[in-house]
Every structure is written in structure tokens, then in C-alpha cells.
Amino acid sequence: MTSFYLAWFGVENVTDSLAYLGCFTGLLMVITATVCILGALGTLDHWYSHRFEISGLLALFGSVTALVANAMLLVATVREGIESVPYFVTWGLLAVASGWSCYVVYHTSVVIPSPKKVAVAASATAVIAMANFGYTQLYQPYHEEPRPILDAKFGSPTLSADRKTFSVPITLSVEVRGNVGVYLVGDQFVVYGRRVTTRSSGHSAPDWRHDSTDGQAELSRWTEMRTEPIEIGRWDLFGSWEDPGVPRSTTRLVQLPVDTPYDQLGVRAEFVSVRRDRVRLEPAFGSSAQYSWQDFRNQRCGSGPGDCVRYRGRVAESNSVARHTRDPRYLTLWWNFGPTLGTVGLESTIARRGDVDRSMSSEESSRLWSRYGLEKVTASATFRSLLDIKH
């Protein structure tokens, strides 16, 4: 039974792993399954026919290998909570059965030729297995991190032939530093205009308080600033990916009349990413749009004056053990937009089907970042004066 599960999970890891280390782990699982099978054959010979002198040693080594493997699978199953009771019970029973087998085989006069060499070989095998398990299950998931970078800049404006409109290019640059690629779950840029009104006299503290409660992000004694979105857009296909060390830039044009009431333009950009070595995102994610004004409406989207588009898709875990022992997870992205900057933004979560629309605590968000690398990257806000164009 142990060799069946090890071979099954090992072959899956070798063929479908998201990282080279996962392939190596799968190969070790296949080798371990082979050792368990040889141990079972040695047990039959040791108890019945006694044709081979080393059959007892082979039976003992196979039993010890099965015990270590089942114990590790049991730890991997319960490390973040028991989600599959059948697998938990199966590996618990197999671990007990393997331990009992070790005890029985050891007390049947097993002949161990060259005990020191055998002890060294067994110890080396155990060290390799435990080191690989510790690295893949405990150390590696929390160590190497991708470093996605996002930058947004205004270019030089261009007047139209009739000098009634002008265009301002916006360059959006994305680069993933490090050795880990990411999925670009969703992206968004917001171009907003600012109207600046000069006051005849300086504001006092109570007036600043009024401006703050009125939704203004910046408070000034001598000017009053009003900000509102002009253009909201995206620059890539939701669910696409970015390879590490390959910078990429996209340019978008914003067109406005010369007599626009705004004195300044600002741009804000952000995207949500998830690590490609932790999950596999289904290809149809970017085409699974649902609209709050047509398909659904809940507390996470479409409340108040804003609307949103929701994208959702199932994600595959990074290794075969997690895929079989954990409940299916779904990645959800909300692209929110509305008449004010406060209603514009991206939200995302990875959760089980019954929890996809539930608001997350900060602790849950931190756990998602640790396990899947789910994070939101924001570019520094950039502004440009329009006085040189309007005058």
C-alpha cells in the first residue's frame, strides 16, 4: 500500500511539478516505492522460502523505509490542518503497521552482514530523505522570494493638429527580480485629474479637519485640491505570466481637451501576482469575467457607488501530496472601479469554494503570501503639471 501511494505521487511530481526540486522529490519517492516493494518481496522470502540470505535484511530495510515515508506523509498532511480525513487515517494506519512490521521483522533472527556498512548506508539514506523533506516542505516554501517591480511614468505630451486636444503617453514597466517567475493575476492603472483652487486666506485647523472628512488625501492651508478618476484601464491579459529577469514595458495614451479643468494629472498602477513555483493557474482564468451589474452582487464588490468585474479560477498546488490531501483552492480577483479613487483598486484571495467571497483577516493574508506568494505590487504615484499645455 505504501509503495502504491509513493509511486503514484512520485510519478505525478516528476511529470507535473512546478519546479526542478519537485521533480527530484518525485524521483526520490519513486525510488522509495521501489525499496518498499523489494522489502515486501524480501519479507515473503524471509518468512517462507529462505532462498536468499539477505532477505531478512531487505525486509527490515523496506519496513524502516516505509515507516519513515508514512511518517513524513502524515506530517505533510497535518502540517497546516487536516483537510483530508481519509488520507490522514490511511497514513496513520500505515505508519503504525510499518512500525509493527519493523518490530516483528527485527525479532525474527535477521542476519545482518557487515553491520557497520549497513548502518552507514541506512543512515545516509535517512539523512538524504529527511534533508529533502525538510527543504521542500519546511525551508524552501518560506525562503526564496520573487521581487516584482512596477513603475509608471508620464512621457512628453503631444498636441493634435487642430490644437484642441493633447495626448500624454504613460509607460508601465514590469520586472520580476530574482529566480522565481509569477503569474500576473490582474493589473490596473488609474489616471486621475486634480483641480487646484487657491484660497484668499489660510486655512485653520478646523478647516483642515473638514477637508479630511470630505475625502481629501492632501491638506493645505492655501489650496484646495479635488481629485477624480479620468481613465481606468489594464495593460495585460489577466492570468498571464512574467518570467524572472525579463523587463517589459507597455505604453498607453491618455487624450484630453486642451481646455480641461484639471491642473495636474496623476497616475497610479498596481498588479496582483502569485508565484509560478507554488501554483498552476488554469488558462481560462483571464476569460472568466463576471460583472457586478449583471451576474452577482455581494459585500466584496459592487457595493455603494462602485462596480467591479470578478475573475475566478481553480489553482493546482505545487506538489502531488498537497494536491491530493488539501481541499481544492480557487483564486478570485475583484477589479473594482467607480467615480472616486476610493472605489478603484484590485482585491484578491485564494480560498476554498465556500470561502471565496469572505473577507480575510490580516493573519490570513499573511498566510496566503507565505504559501502562494500572493501579493499586490503598487507603483509610486506620479504627477504631471498641465500648465505648460494649457497656457
Side-chain angles (χ1 to χ4, degrees), residues 24-60:
F24 178 70
T25 302
L27 182 61
L28 285 182
M29 294 177 76
V30 172
I31 294 174
T32 304
T34 304
V35 172
C36 290
I37 293 174
L38 292 176
L41 295 176
T43 301
L44 293 176
D45 182 82
H46 180 67
W47 282 350
Y48 298 107
S49 59
H50 302 284
R51 294 181 180 178
F52 303 98
E53 182 181 356
I54 64 169
S55 61
L57 175 62
L58 195 60
L60 180 60

Side-chain angles (χ1 to χ4, degrees), residues 151-187:
D151 187 36
K153 292 182 179 179
F154 284 111
S156 300
T158 304
L159 283 171
S160 62
D162 58 6
R163 306 185 69 82
K164 292 183 178 180
T165 62
F166 66 94
S167 302
V168 180
I170 299 173
T171 301
L172 303 157
S173 303
V174 178
E175 181 181 1
V176 180
R177 299 175 182 174
N179 299 315
V180 181
V182 299
Y183 282 107
L184 198 66
V185 178
D187 57 69

